[in-house]
Amino acid sequence: MLQPKRTQYRKAHKGRIHGNTSSCAQLNFGAFGLKVLDPGRLTARQLEACRRAVTRHMKRSGRVWLRVFPDLPITKKPTEVRMGKGKGTVELWAARIKPGRIIVEVDGVSRQIAEEAFARGAAKLPFRTRVVARTGEGARA
Amino acid sequence: MTDVECLRVERRERLGRGGSRAARRGGRVPAVIYGDREPPVAVSVDLAELARAIGAGGFTNRLHDVELAGQRYRVLPREVQYHPVSDLPIHVDFFRLGAGARVTIRVPTVFINEGQSPGLKRGGVLNVVRHEIEVRCPADAIPERIVIDLAGVDIGGSIHISSVALPPNVTPTIARDFTVASIATPTAHREEMAAAAAAAAAAAAAQVEAPEGAEAPAAEAKKPEAAKKEG
């Protein structure tokens, strides 16, 4: 699963997710993309599950680009532990996702295969999503 | 560049964020007309009409006439801003063109003869490095597309701009011989090759370790590790 090789600080604040994305809202690499419509956190496991579902449906043909990286350490206290005594240990890695963000792009497959693959990938995500495609010249059928 | 579409625009009196939002609430898209050494004009376009023009494809690569209060301007849409979630246009820049103007513009690439490429036939993946190529050309002769021929390109091969036939008076803005596309090895094929290489390396190592006459240990022991990772 994806996680940073090294970080400047071990733990991060919880943070809040406001507004829409200001970047990665348009296709940059592939002919089709999966656009997220809700705000939330995307964990490395969810992202990997999504990638596997998409790649497997495409029968490992074509090409897949992930456009998010889970670089936010999420901590958790052990069960049955009283509050206090400092912040918990890092349990997982996640990315903060704002609405409009394209998280996966694919190319080298037909529109039908891409849509089916994205439907399977989207089932692994905690958001509503939409498939986006290039229009006009350079678009794939 | 044969037909020129006409878009009817209206002058926008209220400027700024409030005015732009008011225009959008009214089903119009704020826009600006600038260039040709004349002062910029704030206008708005009907959303449905604009969406139709954008949906036809190649919107920013075609000349348009915009009609403003009975006066027509020859313009080139330079930029369309989209809403990040709904993907509806929220602003358009129209660049006014004078006579004999030359423009720098990004032209989409179109790939042909995919069936005649041995690399794609063998399961290779077309890796498009540049979906658009930035070129400099006369405003009256903007190419609709740049056609890239894939015939004869094998896995590992690439197409550079020097091998692409560009229309006359059209020159790429990047001076070097850059890559437009390549045919990459498919993931499954790459894994097979990695597994074969690992097996060969294991066999070679076993031969070095084993004394003469002794049987080489089976190389299969290392195979499952290589096959474990999925594409």
Side-chain angles (χ1 to χ4, degrees):
Chain A
M1 278 183 296
L2 289 173
Q3 73 173 69
K5 285 195 178 71
R6 59 189 177 84
T7 54
Q8 190 165 9
Y9 301 106
R10 281 184 302 133
K11 298 169 186 177
H13 290 179
K14 176 183 276 185
R16 298 286 184 275
I17 301 169
H18 299 289
N20 295 328
T21 188
S22 58
S23 62
C24 300
Q26 305 295 323
L27 291 171
N28 246 14
F29 299 95
F32 306 99
L34 190 64
K35 179 171 272 206
V36 169
L37 304 179
D38 300 314
R41 274 187 192 158
L42 179 68
T43 67
R45 291 172 74 104
Q46 290 164 344
L47 184 61
E48 175 64 12
C50 175
R51 186 194 68 79
R52 279 189 190 200
V54 170
T55 313
R56 282 185 183 172
H57 188 75
M58 287 163 56
K59 303 252 192 296
R60 292 191 273 170
S61 64
R63 194 162 169 204
V64 180
W65 289 268
L66 294 183
R67 296 197 61 190
V68 289
F69 187 84
D71 58 356
L72 179 73
I74 309 293
T75 62
K76 207 171 178 183
K77 274 177 174 290
T79 53
E80 299 184 356
V81 168
R82 290 170 187 258
M83 289 297 106
K85 308 293 180 198
K87 199 168 165 71
T89 53
V90 174
E91 286 291 313
L92 54 102
W93 292 86
R96 291 196 189 110
I97 306 291
K98 291 181 174 187
R101 176 108 185 191
I102 290 176
I103 58 170
V104 189
E105 288 187 29
V106 301
D107 205 346
V109 290
S110 68
R111 174 184 283 268
Q112 189 194 350
I113 296 285
E115 285 183 352
E116 288 168 1
F118 281 146
R120 286 170 185 238
K124 312 292 182 192
L125 302 177
F127 316 104
R128 286 180 304 136
T129 56
R130 187 160 58 85
V131 177
V132 290
R134 282 183 192 274
T135 54
E137 291 292 349
R140 281 175 183 273
Chain B
M1 301 313 307
T2 49
D3 53 337
V4 176
E5 284 179 34
C6 183
L7 286 170
R8 283 187 305 278
V9 299
E10 288 175 11
R11 189 176 288 273
R12 198 156 41 100
E13 299 301 336
R14 266 184 77 195
L15 304 181
R17 182 165 57 183
S20 299
R21 286 181 177 174
R24 288 184 198 117
R25 277 194 299 273
R28 300 191 68 79
V29 178
V32 62
I33 303 172
Y34 62 88
D36 201 23
R37 295 186 179 84
E38 285 184 38
V41 186
V43 296
S44 68
V45 200
D46 181 55
L47 175 60
E49 195 177 349
L50 182 66
R52 225 178 1 255
I54 292 173
F59 179 66
T60 53
N61 289 80
R62 274 178 299 151
L63 294 182
H64 288 72
D65 277 343
V66 293
E67 194 178 317
L68 174 64
Q71 197 176 356
R72 279 197 170 203
Y73 298 102
R74 175 64 54 94
V75 298
L76 182 68
R78 286 307 263 177
E79 190 191 6
V80 185
Q81 293 173 20
Y82 295 95
H83 189 271
V85 181
S86 66
D87 282 330
L88 289 173
I90 53 175
H91 189 271
V92 188
D93 282 2
F94 290 116
F95 183 54
R96 199 187 285 125
L97 296 166
R102 281 179 74 83
V103 290
T104 302
I105 195 160
R106 297 168 78 90
V107 181
T109 50
V110 174
F111 296 88
I112 59 165
N113 291 338
E114 293 192 7
Q116 294 174 29
S117 161
L120 291 178
K121 272 186 189 168
R122 285 168 52 207
V125 181
L126 176 63
N127 181 28
V128 181
V129 180
R130 292 184 188 270
H131 289 279
E132 293 169 331
I133 296 173
E134 193 176 72
V135 297
R136 190 147 176 80
C137 60
D140 297 328
I142 299 170
E144 280 183 36
R145 61 183 80 94
I146 293 175
V147 179
I148 316 284
D149 191 358
L150 294 173
V153 186
D154 207 344
I155 288 177
S158 54
I159 299 159
H160 293 83
I161 190 66
S162 56
S163 61
V164 177
L166 293 173
N169 282 333
V170 176
T171 50
T173 53
I174 302 173
R176 63 189 162 77
D177 189 15
F178 57 89
T179 308
V180 179
S182 62
I183 296 190
T185 316
T187 317
H189 187 235
R190 204 159 41 223
E191 279 175 9
E192 278 168 23
M193 284 171 66
Q207 271 186 354
V208 169
E209 279 174 20
E212 277 182 26
E215 278 185 28
E220 271 77 39
K222 287 197 175 180
K223 262 189 180 174
E225 279 178 35
K228 223 176 193 178
K229 191 172 180 325
E230 289 181 67

